[in-house]
Amino acid sequence: METKLWIVDNYVDKNEKYPQITQAAQLLKEGEVVAFPTETVYGLGADATCDRAVEKIFKAKGRPSDNPLIVHIAEREQLQALVGQISQKAEVLMDRFWPGPLTLIFKKKEGLSKLVTAGLDTVAVRMPDHPVAHSLIKESGLPIAAPSANTSGKPSPTLADHVKRDLYGKIAGIVDGGETGVGLESTVVDCTESIPVILRPGGITKEQLEETIGEVKIDAALQNEKEAPKSPGMKYTHYAPAASLTLVKGHPSFIQEQINQSKEKGLQVGVLTTEENQSFYQADHIETVGTAAHLETVAAKLYEALRNFDDQNVDVIFGEVFPEVGIGQAIMNRLMKAAGHRIIEE
Ligand code: AMP
Ligand code: MG
């Protein structure tokens, strides 16, 4: 199929109309699938009320049908049509963090495509904080179901080029609004419990949530691989580069030992490190992701770095670990998945 490509400035004036966005919104209204930038990663959107449209998302991504989608809205008024009871804590979280990288789980109302919620009686909703996403959703006049715009299993796209590589020819259009901001997906919080539960760590940290509403729990599956996750998507392998990634907790000299051992076996070796540590290593390919002093910079570059390894001829990759504070929780959650939980400690 022909994939239309629109380039827009990632600064879009909310009061102006842009022909690119109008055309993309028109395709959404016609039941087509369009990729667009958000402040987390690129999303792959479709009319959340239409089975035929939502089905195309699952098909283009190769996404398992039991993995529900997040519904994206532009205005708070859109929420009433989608969800039942809204708790006081959910109201407070929305006031503080919307628009932004926070997804909330509510009891759902009828009206959405059953494919969106994968048979659950709850629905995940988020209001993205990106002018292009906002304008597109608003102009479509629809709730937009949108997972990350990557082939299932691959790292999420932080550039339109990543979307093109995975989905060109499989979707109706891509709105290119430049690089996304946070670089990791939204935090998913279940607000149907009296004490809200983090189902997926992301752009909004546990610390920020607790400052706002007091105690917040973490889904047991996030700390123990053997527990079944409450968020169906969390059980799938994800974000993995083609070469096998192993995380290494220890001094760079210990990581270099691992590199040397693989080199002795005749393997091509990649390293995932930070700006401050990159000069320590001798390897076939080195990818750097920001600085550990500002974990936000690591989050922003992580998926791009994981994807870049696929263009290199490496057989194995060794990656540094990061402190699990603030956005570090989300970074380590994604890295552990990308590594299939392989970790070596000094
Ligand atoms: P993605 O769209 O790729 O960012 O993935 C969306 C994430 O939200 C997945 O981990 C889903 O399992 C999760 N999710 C979506 N809807 C629900 C829901 N109703 N209950 C629990 N998790 C959900
Ligand atoms: Mg995804």
Side-chain angles (χ1 to χ4, degrees):
M1 101 187 286
E2 189 208 344
T3 302
K4 287 217 170 61
L5 204 61
W6 301 277
I7 298 178
V8 291
D9 200 335
N10 68 19
Y11 178 76
V12 166
D13 183 340
K14 284 183 184 173
N15 302 315
E16 294 248 355
K17 284 242 176 187
Y18 295 81
Q20 306 95 309
I21 292 180
T22 304
Q23 287 167 26
Q26 182 56 36
L27 285 180
L28 288 172
K29 286 191 257 189
E30 289 167 11
E32 294 298 335
V33 168
V34 171
F36 61 92
T38 79
E39 83 281 25
T40 59
V41 300
Y42 273 77
L44 186 61
D47 176 356
T49 65
C50 172
D51 286 342
R52 189 176 53 85
V54 175
E55 204 173 7
K56 291 178 187 169
I57 293 180
F58 284 91
K59 190 156 174 247
K61 283 183 59 97
R63 183 174 173 110
S65 61
D66 68 347
N67 190 1
L69 307 179
I70 296 169
V71 177
H72 292 67
I73 59 175
E75 318 277 353
R76 277 279 275 274
E77 295 79 75
Q78 287 181 277
L79 197 59
Q80 270 67 49
L82 307 174
V83 311
Q85 212 203 338
I86 302 175
S87 71
Q88 188 59 39
K89 284 179 185 170
E91 294 277 6
V92 175
L93 289 176
M94 289 188 284
D95 288 343
R96 164 100 194 264
F97 297 110
W98 278 12
L102 178 68
T103 295
L104 301 178
I105 308 282
F106 302 95
K107 288 275 180 229
K108 73 167 188 186
K109 270 190 186 160
E110 293 306 309
L112 287 169
S113 161
K114 294 249 184 313
L115 301 172
V116 169
T117 50
L120 300 173
D121 61 356
T122 53
V123 60
V125 187
R126 168 169 120 79
M127 186 190 290
D129 185 16
H130 191 290
V132 175
H134 175 88
S135 300
L136 180 65
I137 298 167
K138 193 158 178 210
E139 242 192 276
S140 75
L142 295 164
I144 297 295
S148 49
N150 51 285
T151 299
S152 257
K154 287 238 218 159
S156 301
T158 54
L159 291 168
D161 192 50
H162 300 158
V163 182
K164 273 187 237 167
R165 286 193 178 206
D166 282 11
L167 300 174
Y168 198 82
K170 296 182 176 175
I171 58 177
I174 301 171
V175 186
D176 181 347
E179 192 174 0
T180 58
V182 180
L184 299 180
E185 299 83 349
S186 60
T187 304
V188 178
V189 177
D190 182 354
C191 288
T192 65
E193 310 273 342
S194 59
I195 299 174
V197 186
I198 297 176
L199 304 186
R200 175 176 77 180
I204 299 293
T205 65
K206 180 169 192 273
E207 294 85 339
Q208 286 175 296
L209 295 170
E210 291 198 318
E211 256 167 42
T212 314
I213 51 163
E215 189 189 358
V216 172
K217 290 187 182 157
I218 297 185
D219 186 21
L222 293 175
Q223 281 141 339
N224 179 355
E225 271 175 75
K226 294 192 183 83
E227 295 277 339
K230 282 214 208 145
S231 177
M234 297 299 283
K235 69 174 180 275
Y236 291 107
T237 314
H238 240 112
Y239 321 116
S244 100
L245 168 68
T246 301
L247 300 179
V248 189
K249 193 172 180 179
H251 189 268
S253 60
F254 177 70
I255 301 181
Q256 185 63 45
E257 278 173 36
Q258 314 305 312
I259 299 168
N260 295 345
Q261 284 170 18
S262 290
K263 296 247 18 122
E264 280 161 24
K265 290 181 199 151
L267 299 172
Q268 295 281 309
V269 186
V271 183
L272 182 65
T273 178
T274 51
E275 279 156 24
E276 55 270 37
N277 284 351
Q278 56 175 320
S279 61
F280 278 107
Y281 300 110
Q282 285 190 308
D284 298 298
H285 183 73
I286 296 177
E287 279 291 328
T288 59
V289 282
T291 160
H294 296 285
L295 289 174
E296 287 73 19
T297 62
V298 175
K301 291 289 175 201
L302 184 65
Y303 288 147
E304 189 178 348
L306 289 173
R307 278 180 178 262
N308 286 345
F309 282 115
D310 287 352
D311 296 332
Q312 304 297 325
N313 223 352
V314 294
D315 303 303
V316 292
I317 304 162
F318 292 103
E320 293 177 359
V321 300
F322 295 91
E324 289 187 54
V325 291
I327 191 112
Q329 284 198 331
I331 292 171
M332 284 308 294
N333 170 266
R334 306 307 192 271
L335 272 175
M336 285 296 272
K337 278 173 169 283
H341 290 90
R342 276 180 302 276
I343 183 161
I344 302 175
E345 295 196 30
E346 186 166 3

